[in-house]
């Protein structure tokens, strides 16, 4: 999945008032003058923006839901437009400013909070959606603010271990990726010994600025980037003992197994494996295809490159940053109730099963669990239940923009004590995280 993107007490109260004012006229639970007790009598137009992933990968699902919607609401016009990730946000911002926002819009889960905080989305009632009691927690959290649901989880994504099975076979006698971290370290040590003549070869290519990976280890130990306190504000918690334990764990892996430039981030990390300089790395599932693609990688590795669940501390899978998308009804939609019903159909148990059948992770544990034992989906599916997400705070975008986390990791790898580096990072986070960004 792609990377997508609280406040002093007084600030939160003001924001809550703003959200209420912005959404009261177009709430998905009311205000829809086109809705009717008799669906056959309902009128109006529902405009839906979906990302082009649906057009490319599950057009049959889109068509089936649209046909069902048309059968239920024969006098309602449905307009569907597909968007690309590169320019969707700019187009949506303009549409909202021009008063021409779609009624339903797909949002990457790192985009949701921006539109919640700006009052652009209408609240929806969780209990009216299928499997909402078993929605993947981290995915649902990206749609939740001040105990209200502002969007509906659509599908999930996860990071996995991507490895050269031939390299593992040659060094360990097994082409399977280890199930525990102790077994993984033992395998990486054997791979390192076999390739000791090549000082650029990384048994595990783990870039030093890869803060998504670092925070996965923080999460594995029960730590966090920041927390919302009883006083009504967010504060950094990287210097908490559990967070420091996770950071130390990550740094130890980087220092021991990454023989490349440790000051880099994870962008284009697949190139290390494609060029024969890595036996494994931790990344989005789609990065495996980049390793073997004709232009970006080495097609000769096609049969060797595989994915697996990344083992973490304590015998459990490493918690992943949750990726994925959600569907939202916009605040000023004149057909909000109808739009919500389209979302309800598109995220129904039947629809989510259609995604699961295509190896797309569904929005709920009920339908996710069978994928944990399916070879093509087990790696990602097993990483999702304990997934984590960035703080749902108004200033998180500012924290990311200032590169506080990657700079902290770089400083530690250059020798700064973890205790000092994390305290400095917390102080920098505290200056930004409660500001509207």
């Amino acid at each position: 999945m792609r990377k997508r993107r609280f406040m002093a007490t007084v600030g939160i109260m003001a924001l809550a008032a703003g959200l209420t004012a912005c959404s009261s006229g177009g709430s998905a639970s009311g205000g829809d003058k086109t809705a009717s007790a008799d669906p056959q009598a309902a009128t109006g137009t529902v405009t839906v923006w979906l990302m082009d992933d649906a057009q490319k990968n599950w057009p049959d699902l889109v068509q089936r839901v649209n046909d069902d919607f048309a059968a239920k609401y024969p006098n309602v016009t449905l307009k569907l437009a597909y968007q690309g990730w590169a320019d969707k946000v700019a187009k949506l911002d303009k549409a909202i400013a021009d008063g021409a926002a779609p009624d339903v819009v797909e949002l990457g889960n790192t985009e949701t909070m921006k539109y919640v905080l700006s009052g652009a989305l209408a609240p929806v009632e969780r209990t009216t959606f299928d499997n909402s009691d078993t929605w993947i927690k981290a995915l649902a959290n990206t749609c939740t603010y001040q105990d209200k649901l502002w969007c509906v989880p659509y599908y999930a994504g996860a990071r996995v271990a991507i490895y050269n099975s031939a390299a593992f076979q040659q060094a360990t006698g097994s082409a399977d990726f280890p199930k525990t971290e102790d077994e993984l370290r033992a395998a990486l040590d054997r791979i390192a010994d076999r390739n000791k003549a090549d000082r650029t070869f990384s048994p595990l290519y783990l870039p030093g600025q890869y803060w998504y990976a670092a925070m996965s280890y923080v999460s594995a130990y029960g730590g966090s980037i920041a927390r919302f306190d009883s006083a009504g504000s967010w504060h950094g918690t990287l210097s908490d003992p559990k967070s420091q334990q996770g950071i130390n764990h990550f740094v130890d892996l980087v220092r021991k197994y990454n023989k490349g430039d440790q000051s880099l981030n994870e962008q284009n990390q697949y190139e290390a494996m494609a060029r024969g300089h890595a036996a494994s790395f931790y990344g989005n599932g789609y990065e495996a295809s980049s390793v073997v693609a004709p232009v970006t990688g080495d097609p000769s590795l096609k049969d060797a490159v595989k994915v697996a669940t990344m083992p973490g501390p304590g015998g459990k899978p490493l918690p992943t940053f949750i990726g994925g998308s959600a569907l939202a009804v916009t605040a000023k939609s004149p057909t909000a109730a109808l739009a919500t019903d389209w979302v309800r159909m598109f995220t129904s148990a039947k629809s989510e099963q259609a995604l699961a059948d295509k190896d797309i992770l569904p929005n709920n544990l009920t339908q996710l669990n069978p994928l944990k034992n399916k070879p093509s989906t087990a790696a990602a599916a097993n990483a999702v239940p304990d997934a984590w997400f960035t703080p749902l705070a108004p200033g998180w975008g500012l924290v990311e923009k200032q590169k506080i986390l990657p700079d902290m990791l770089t400083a530690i790898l250059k020798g700064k004590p973890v205790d000092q580096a994390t305290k400095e990072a917390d102080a920098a986070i505290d200056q930004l995280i409660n500001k509207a960004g």
Side-chain angles (χ1 to χ4, degrees):
M1 290 293 110
R2 302 156 177 84
K3 289 187 211 176
R4 336 251 206 248
R5 306 261 166 264
F6 221 115
M7 230 174 244
T9 304
V10 173
I12 288 179
M13 293 175 64
L15 176 59
L19 286 172
T20 302
C22 289
S23 63
S24 60
S27 169
S29 59
D32 187 347
K33 302 300 190 291
T34 64
S36 168
D38 177 11
Q40 301 288 308
T43 60
T45 299
V46 175
T47 300
V48 177
W49 282 15
L50 283 179
M51 304 312 298
D52 55 12
D53 302 281
Q55 183 181 30
K56 297 172 184 176
N57 300 306
W58 46 91
D60 48 339
L61 169 59
V62 179
Q63 187 62 55
R64 194 264 300 165
V65 170
N66 288 348
D67 289 346
D68 289 350
F69 186 85
K72 183 175 181 178
Y73 300 105
N75 296 308
V76 174
T77 300
L78 183 66
K79 294 182 178 180
L80 173 65
Y82 289 106
Q83 308 297 329
W85 289 108
D87 61 355
K88 191 279 299 292
V89 168
K91 290 175 67 175
L92 181 58
D93 288 348
K94 185 177 188 305
I96 291 171
D98 293 345
D103 302 289
V104 176
V105 61
E106 178 181 344
L107 298 171
N109 61 2
T110 58
E111 298 170 348
T112 58
M113 199 49 48
K114 168 184 175 178
Y115 294 103
V116 170
L117 294 172
S118 69
L121 307 183
V124 292
E125 178 53 52
R126 177 170 179 155
T127 58
T128 66
F129 296 90
D130 283 1
N131 286 316
S132 60
D133 56 337
T134 63
W135 277 346
I136 295 167
K137 183 178 179 182
L139 200 59
N141 285 349
T142 69
C143 286
T144 306
Y145 182 72
Q146 295 187 343
D147 297 323
K148 286 186 178 182
L149 187 73
W150 300 91
C151 53
V152 178
Y154 173 14
Y155 65 86
R159 282 171 167 79
V160 296
I162 300 170
Y163 71 106
N164 185 327
S165 60
F168 276 75
Q169 176 73 52
Q170 292 164 1
T172 70
S174 174
D176 295 332
F177 200 73
K179 297 291 191 296
T180 70
E181 193 180 69
D182 286 345
E183 293 171 348
L184 175 60
R185 283 178 177 261
L188 295 176
D189 289 342
R190 287 194 286 272
I191 291 171
D193 184 64
R194 182 180 176 84
N195 294 276
K196 58 186 176 183
D198 182 356
R199 295 184 178 181
T200 68
F201 188 86
S202 300
L204 172 63
Y205 185 79
L206 194 60
Q209 288 197 358
Y210 192 179
W211 66 268
Y212 284 99
M215 295 306 108
S216 288
Y217 287 96
V218 166
S219 178
Y221 282 98
S224 61
I225 301 171
R227 287 204 174 99
F228 190 66
D229 62 28
S230 57
S233 63
W234 286 85
H235 60 91
T237 52
L238 292 168
S239 60
D240 287 3
K242 290 180 179 179
S243 298
Q244 289 189 356
Q245 196 172 3
I247 291 169
N248 275 314
H249 193 124
F250 168 79
V251 169
D252 178 63
L253 290 173
V254 174
R255 285 175 170 161
K256 187 171 185 180
Y257 297 115
N258 179 17
K259 303 306 178 181
D261 186 345
Q262 295 182 355
S263 68
L264 298 178
N265 61 30
E266 74 278 14
Q267 297 300 313
N268 301 322
Q269 62 179 340
Y270 67 86
E271 292 179 350
M273 183 176 290
R275 294 173 180 171
H277 297 307
S280 61
F281 66 97
Y282 180 60
N284 296 289
Y286 62 80
E287 292 179 75
S289 61
S290 298
V291 174
V292 300
V295 176
T296 61
D298 181 357
S300 71
L301 296 175
K302 181 178 180 180
D303 293 334
V305 175
K306 301 182 184 300
V307 300
T309 302
M310 186 71 171
K316 295 183 178 181
L318 183 66
T320 180
F321 172 81
I322 191 72
S325 280
L327 295 166
V329 176
T330 53
K332 295 183 180 180
S333 168
T335 54
L338 295 170
T340 303
D341 207 26
W342 186 91
V343 174
R344 193 174 290 115
M345 292 179 180
F346 201 70
T347 58
S348 68
K350 182 178 180 180
S351 296
E352 292 294 325
Q353 189 58 50
L355 292 176
D357 290 344
K358 294 179 182 291
D359 290 350
I360 304 301
L361 303 186
N363 65 7
N364 66 91
L365 296 177
T366 301
Q367 292 172 290
L368 177 78
N369 285 336
L371 300 185
K372 294 179 181 179
N373 298 312
K374 187 177 179 181
S376 57
T377 55
N382 281 288
V384 161
D386 294 322
W388 62 276
F389 196 66
T390 51
L392 299 173
W396 178 251
L398 296 174
V399 174
E400 282 204 34
K401 186 176 181 180
Q402 292 298 315
K403 299 182 178 180
I404 292 171
L405 297 186
D407 286 351
M408 174 195 72
L409 294 171
T410 296
I412 293 170
L413 286 164
K414 287 183 176 180
K416 181 173 287 189
V418 170
D419 183 63
Q420 179 184 350
T422 55
K423 286 180 179 178
E424 290 175 357
D426 281 347
I429 288 171
D430 290 350
Q431 291 294 316
L432 300 172
I433 197 167
N434 294 295
K435 297 179 179 180

